[in-house]
Amino acid sequence: MPRSLVLNDPGCTRCKLHLETENVCEPGIGPRRSKIMVVSRMPNSGSYQTYLEAALTNAGLDVNEIYFTSVIKCRSFDVEPRKPEFVACAPYLADELAWVKPEFILAFGNEPLKELSGHSGIMKWRGKVIEAKAVPGASMFATISPAAVMRNPRQEPAWRADLKFFANATKGIHSNVASERPKITVAWKKDHLPLLKEALATADTVSYDIETTGFDEFDPDGAIVSVAFTLLHRDKGQSIEDGTVTIWALPLWHPQSPFRLNWRKVLQYVKPGMIKPHRKLAHNGKFDDRWLHKHGVPMDVTFDTMLAAHILDENREKGLKPLARVILGVGEWAISTKNLIDTPLKEVLLYNALDTYYTFLLWTHLRKDLIDQPRLLKLFMRVTMPASPLLREVEQHGIWVDREKLDTAHKIAFDTRDHIDEQLMQWVPDPASPGSSLHAQSNEPWPTKGKTIKPVEVNFNPSNFARWWLFEHLGLPIYERGKTKADGSPGDPSMREGVMFMLRETGHPVIDLLLERAKWQKYCSTYVNRYKEIMDENHRIHTTFKIAGTVTGRMSSGKADDEKISSRADRGRGVNLQQVPRDPFIRGLFGAPPGWAFIEADFSQVELRLGAYIAREPTMLQLFAMGADLHIYIAARALGIPDSQVTKAQRKEVGKPTNFGFLYGMYPKKFVITMWEQQQMVYTLQQAEHFRKTYFREFPGLQKWHTRQKRIAHQNGRVVSPLGRIRHLPDIYSEVQSVVMEAERQAINSPVQAMGSDMNTLSGILINQNLKAMGLRAHVLGVVHDAVNLECYIPDLPRALPMIKDTMENLPFKELFGAEVTVPIISDLQVGSHWGGATELTTDQIYNFDKATRDLILPERS
DNA sequence: TGAAGTCGCGCG
DNA sequence: AAAGCGCGCGACTTCA
């Protein structure tokens, strides 16, 4: 039905915003039939508009030819527009779009993106050409809003690159086709292969990338579709800039490839060339290296552009495409489909080759940035880069699972959960007439699904059913609610553990059952079931580490990104091996195969030691010098008991949270909560305040250090760890106080966490090197923030154990980083057949490892 | 049915 | 007024 255009309606009362503004329903500004439309979230204020126009002009656009408008039409700073407001405003923008009919649309921020394209997630969609759902045929682009850039100036370069990209596109300039680059040589025929091999073998630098099919390199159907190289040749003494750059592509398993049937042989043929150049560049090379190793090419990246970009700026996007956009000003070159097999070979090769070329160009930029920061360069070359081949090995090797134990645990976990469910069912009423049940405390009817009348199913996980059942039907009190909903209605009643502890006081028997059930449910779903699914034929489980996954330099572990796509029936083999429950019921499922021993080597209290060292806190340093255990020390004081009476559980549940909490800026209120939730111990706020004061009086260096870190963060916008790792803290300049305070706490935490994780990574690297140099039969199995796990052939334990301990306790800080570490670093070794329940060895047992010790810790394997 | 957001908990 | 940090993932809900 035709509808007249209503570009603006000053009398609009469609949502509450009209009450909050002087100017109801502001129309856009600019000429009708503009080729370009810019859409913000709300009408821009004068200063934003000025800033925005200057930036657009700078990008090469004529602002007089642009139509500026917004999704929300009423400008208000007091009321946050929510769903109803967006719904109310939508028709106005739709009218404007129909009226102006732009060819190019630029959306600023997530809401305009969503309104115009239906997609959410501005960081994912920025910088791409997106189909504008509202205007068929128009090209749409999105980037972050000028407001976000003004709040956080570090975003500015990338934002300006986005604007430039957009401006070029409106003029028909596409940097991906216009950019000058060497022509790509494709090895189409057998005769070409010697040329490629020779070119590789004589290259100074090779940038490489593979295209693959299948899920991971273990997939029996997995194959390498193609491989490409960008090569740098230079004569002696010639600079990198003056060298000769060539690009090559080699089709392998692709259906149109001439080498489809003998792709493995072809790969083997060029292999000597591939591994010859001393500098090997790749973007996330660990992935390619895993595949190449699997297919007999021992390739290991020496300069990874993803890792370099991350160490230089841990907050930025690290994908090849966003980096190419921001650093090189290159637009999209990706082929549209992810299905390489159905994509014409020529396209695949072009894409593959350009990946290597842009990786190469990125390297020329990133290496300069690193050379400008020598400390960061050292850290990069000595820790970050060597971590890539180490973790490549670790991921390939996997960790051994005791299959029989796993089967038993699986059965126990599911049986236990199901048994608890049966008991809980006694409290569940007849769905038809819940009110008439014996236990009913209310007449509220059984809940239904969303807006339908379909009844929800019984579900004891936190769900609509469980909340209704617990808080309506059984009438238990609501102590806590979740976040207020978008429409302003109160959040759902919380069912978290801490709340359940409080509900215990009601004496209702379902509470303990629910608490117990939650534990077993998690065991079932997250652990035993997953482990069973992903265990390979050698009873091993594999993870994927992210070297550039955290802002502090820690490694993270889990599934690879492409394993997370939920549309895939098989959801990948990866699993997080850094969050295996300490309960021996789960942790004890992992271990070393028969004939081998499992070793967990962890740094004792390392972050606390480093905190004391970095803060130069005299009392703590003295206690550590005396060999004290500060977690026991502080747990005893919090609990009001002698040191000797502190149990392992109390050390973990009271000592650690208290030390780390206060070290990193925790306040008394949270201490009270922690004591209650960990120990069900009641501290009053006054007692907690007193305890905290006592803590800081006892360790006076901490307060000064906190002040120092805050000052540094405010002055420099960043903090630096003793080994040179940088944490940028743009939020320190926020106008919102709570955001600033968060950044201040991060300024305190980051150097400590960064140094601990870099030490741990370095340990893994050096231990692995030493194992190889000594010819020991042992493998690193994983890194867990302050621990390195290994498996070792039992006869080699006497030589491996002392080396591991020595390596960790005597890291070459001075030689590698020029740092003088003045706190004792201690490594504790636990050895056994399995991870959970391994025995901690004394120093004497480690350095004089004998049969008696072996029989003690590995009784069934001696 | 998939995508996105929230909650809660596992680890350090 | 509000205040440990760093992660990954499964279950649930809502929305298109």
Side-chain angles (χ1 to χ4, degrees), chain A residues 53-71:
Chain A
E53 289 188 6
L56 290 169
T57 307
N58 187 271
L61 292 168
D62 183 351
V63 291
N64 296 315
E65 295 178 356
I66 297 177
Y67 187 91
F68 293 89
T69 188
S70 57
V71 176

Side-chain angles (χ1 to χ4, degrees), chain A residues 421 424-425 428-429 431 446-447 455-461 463 465-466 468-469 517:
Chain A
D421 281 0
L424 287 170
M425 280 307 286
V428 174
W446 191 281
V456 299
E457 280 150 34
V458 174
N459 181 349
F460 297 114
N461 294 330
S463 60
F465 169 79
W468 166 81
W469 174 67
R517 186 189 183 280

Side-chain angles (χ1 to χ4, degrees), chain A residues 615-632:
Chain A
R616 303 194 288 272
E617 205 308 300
T619 314
M620 268 191 184
L621 287 172
Q622 201 181 347
L623 283 165
F624 278 126
M626 285 167 13
D629 185 321
L630 257 79
H631 294 322
I632 292 178

Side-chain angles (χ1 to χ4, degrees), chain A residues 445-735:
Chain A
W446 191 281
T448 56
K449 274 181 192 165
K451 289 165 188 161
T452 69
I453 52 155
K454 216 175 150 196
V456 299
E457 280 150 34
V458 174
N459 181 349
F460 297 114
N461 294 330
S463 60
N464 288 346
F465 169 79
R467 291 192 180 90
W468 166 81
W469 174 67
L470 212 56
F471 301 109
E472 297 283 351
H473 180 70
L474 297 178
L476 294 176
I478 296 169
Y479 286 128
E480 196 180 299
R481 284 179 177 276
K483 230 169 103 170
T484 305
K485 303 261 179 77
D487 62 5
S489 61
D492 295 330
S494 173
M495 289 182 69
R496 52 180 271 267
E497 196 180 40
V499 172
M500 301 298 264
F501 283 149
M502 289 194 267
L503 284 172
R504 240 189 201 152
E505 318 241 307
T506 64
H508 204 292
V510 298
I511 298 303
D512 278 332
L513 285 169
L514 281 172
L515 275 165
E516 186 69 5
R517 186 189 183 280
K519 179 183 115 177
W520 289 103
Q521 167 63 25
K522 180 126 179 145
Y523 280 11
C524 291
S525 64
T526 311
Y527 305 112
V528 289
N529 201 42
R530 288 291 298 149
Y531 297 159
K532 237 180 134 85
E533 281 171 8
I534 63 174
M535 186 172 59
D536 72 12
E537 63 279 10
N538 299 316
H539 301 186
R540 283 183 180 270
I541 282 177
H542 306 265
T543 185
T544 301
F545 284 96
K546 282 199 184 127
I547 301 173
T550 77
V551 289
T552 58
R554 279 186 172 186
M555 309 289 118
S556 78
S557 152
K559 287 196 266 242
D561 287 342
D562 60 353
E563 290 175 347
K564 289 179 192 153
I565 301 165
S566 51
S567 59
R568 303 187 84 137
D570 178 343
R571 302 198 38 211
R573 59 167 197 164
V575 65
N576 186 331
L577 288 180
Q578 293 181 331
Q579 57 166 181
V580 180
R582 306 183 67 156
D583 184 345
F585 182 82
I586 304 291
R587 202 167 269 205
L589 301 173
F590 295 95
W596 294 64
F598 186 93
I599 305 169
E600 177 177 353
D602 69 281
F603 283 115
S604 151
Q605 312 170 70
V606 71
E607 280 197 21
L608 201 52
R609 286 176 199 270
L610 296 178
Y613 157 64
I614 293 171
R616 303 194 288 272
E617 205 308 300
T619 314
M620 268 191 184
L621 287 172
Q622 201 181 347
L623 283 165
F624 278 126
M626 285 167 13
D629 185 321
L630 257 79
H631 294 322
I632 292 178
Y633 182 89
I634 225 62
R637 277 144 192 82
L639 296 163
I641 56 175
D643 286 23
S644 57
Q645 278 180 29
V646 174
T647 65
K648 266 195 143 169
Q650 287 167 327
R651 179 182 184 274
K652 180 190 147 207
E653 291 164 4
V654 177
K656 282 189 177 185
T658 306
N659 272 320
F660 291 131
F662 288 156
L663 188 68
Y664 297 140
M666 179 175 71
Y667 272 67
K669 194 172 130 194
K670 176 132 184 198
F671 176 75
V672 171
I673 296 170
T674 306
M675 290 301 282
W676 161 254
E677 292 189 349
Q678 294 294 328
Q679 295 282 311
Q680 285 82 66
M681 181 166 173
V682 180
Y683 250 85
T684 65
L685 198 55
Q686 287 74 20
Q687 288 169 324
E689 272 162 11
H690 179 257
F691 186 71
R692 185 172 182 276
K693 267 193 194 136
T694 313
Y695 188 93
F696 279 91
R697 210 175 296 134
E698 187 162 10
F699 305 123
L702 294 184
Q703 197 62 65
K704 288 183 203 159
W705 169 57
H706 284 187
T707 311
R708 200 156 66 231
Q709 287 305 108
K710 290 179 195 175
R711 197 193 64 229
I712 293 170
H714 280 280
Q715 272 175 6
N716 306 335
R718 61 195 216 174
V719 290
V720 185
S721 89
L723 304 188
R725 189 176 288 274
I726 297 170
R727 171 87 188 263
H728 301 84
L729 295 165
D731 283 352
I732 204 86
Y733 302 122
S734 165
E735 282 165 29

Side-chain angles (χ1 to χ4, degrees), chain A residues 822-844:
Chain A
T822 55
V823 68
I825 300 296
I826 304 295
S827 154
D828 291 329
L829 266 52
Q830 296 178 60
V831 186
S833 57
H834 293 76
W835 189 0
T839 314
E840 181 163 331
L841 299 186
T842 63
T843 307
D844 184 57

Side-chain angles (χ1 to χ4, degrees), chain A residues 838-856:
Chain A
T839 314
E840 181 163 331
L841 299 186
T842 63
T843 307
D844 184 57
Q845 285 173 319
I846 292 167
Y847 286 97
N848 302 296
F849 190 88
D850 55 15
K851 189 171 182 310
T853 308
R854 199 184 73 185
D855 291 343
L856 184 74

Side-chain angles (χ1 to χ4, degrees), chain A residues 123-152:
Chain A
M123 296 314 274
K124 197 170 94 190
W125 289 95
R126 69 183 289 189
K128 293 182 183 156
V129 182
I130 310 165
E131 200 184 329
K133 165 182 88 163
V135 189
S139 295
M140 178 179 156
F141 298 74
T143 184
I144 52 176
S145 70
V149 178
M150 287 175 81
R151 264 201 310 276
N152 180 1

